[in-house]
Amino acid sequence: MALFSQPTARALAILDLLMANPHQAFGLTEMTRRLNLNKATCHAILTTMANYGFLVQHPKTKAYRLGPSIIAAGNAAFAQFPVLEYARPELESLQQDLDVGFAVTGRSKQHMVLLALYGKAQPLIDSFQLGLRLPNTAPVAACFTAFSPAKHLEAWLSRAHESRGEYNEKLDQKLRVALIAIRARGYEVTLKTKAEVKLTKELARIHTSWSLTELEDAANRYQHDLCDEYFHLDRIDPKAKYDVSTISVPVFIENKLPVMCFVAGSLGGQVTGARIEEIAARIKASADRITALAEGT
């Protein structure tokens, strides 16, 4: 079993709450209520984080916001994703031209993370805002996995089977077909699902009583439930209409692996296959331009 540090989790929960509410400050009482923390414990953590500049406290209201040390940490992390510097004007322009919302996602070993938002955000993202973490487990994060080495693919699939308690051949075949389709056309299309509706409601509920454990549980249930639904659009008929959730295009920089994905969402009602192909082509062209800029070519 992986090691777990409760004090570290409490500090991360505070950062998580403030990241998800960047325009809001929280006093000690509200913070303890939201995070279900002991008041003395929370006060000690907040004071320590403020002393080191990770939080700042308003002199009159005594409410806390993110501090300058977080900006420094963010800039250091930003340096690992220089492509984001070039993404904003491209994706903001696409948002205006196509009238859809855009997000940028990154990937760690265990999670797919929402890094940035441009324009209209889909309800799922709206509930959590920046920092949304979903399991890097099939069928989530397929756009990353489709262009990754075989060992990453097999680990991604194995985690899905483990989450359900046993190997499922039908599910395995469905996921492999989805990856083949994504790799062949160069982008991922996901459909609206009951699991997404359920997660959106759950995230909205949790937002008023922040809990890293509950957030992780909700994300894991979402991944688990997606396995039972028709999530990936494998074949696109230009004349047919689809209830599309997202269109994701990988961005390649280092070692020809996807370092992030540009994701179009908030497409409104049903869209035709031709419209899907049009949006994907526009995003791919932007991704190519941004990659060239980031590589200095």
Side-chain angles (χ1 to χ4, degrees), residues 76-127:
F78 191 83
Q80 303 300 313
F81 297 94
V83 68
L84 282 174
E85 179 180 351
Y86 309 106
R88 180 177 294 277
E90 282 280 351
L91 295 183
E92 286 182 344
S93 177
L94 280 178
Q95 186 271 324
Q96 293 176 359
D97 291 346
L98 300 174
D99 192 32
V100 299
F102 279 94
V104 180
T105 57
R107 175 182 61 168
S108 67
K109 182 178 180 180
Q110 298 295 331
H111 296 101
M112 183 176 72
V113 184
L114 175 63
L115 303 177
L117 286 171
Y118 305 94
K120 300 186 300 182
Q122 64 185 117
L124 174 61
I125 293 172
D126 228 8
S127 299

Side-chain angles (χ1 to χ4, degrees), residues 148-170:
S148 298
K151 62 179 182 180
H152 293 283
L153 185 155
E154 296 303 330
W156 180 77
L157 290 170
S158 295
R159 289 193 293 272
H161 295 304
E162 290 169 4
S163 73
R164 301 178 66 81
E166 61 181 359
Y167 174 80
N168 184 309
E169 183 175 359
K170 186 175 181 180

Side-chain angles (χ1 to χ4, degrees), residues 16-24 113-117 121-133 203 207 210:
D16 227 39
L17 174 62
L18 292 172
M19 284 193 303
N21 299 274
H23 305 297
Q24 186 176 352
V113 184
L114 175 63
L115 303 177
L117 286 171
Q122 64 185 117
L124 174 61
I125 293 172
D126 228 8
S127 299
F128 197 97
Q129 300 183 4
L130 296 179
L132 170 66
R133 289 186 299 274
L203 292 178
H207 200 75
W210 210 254

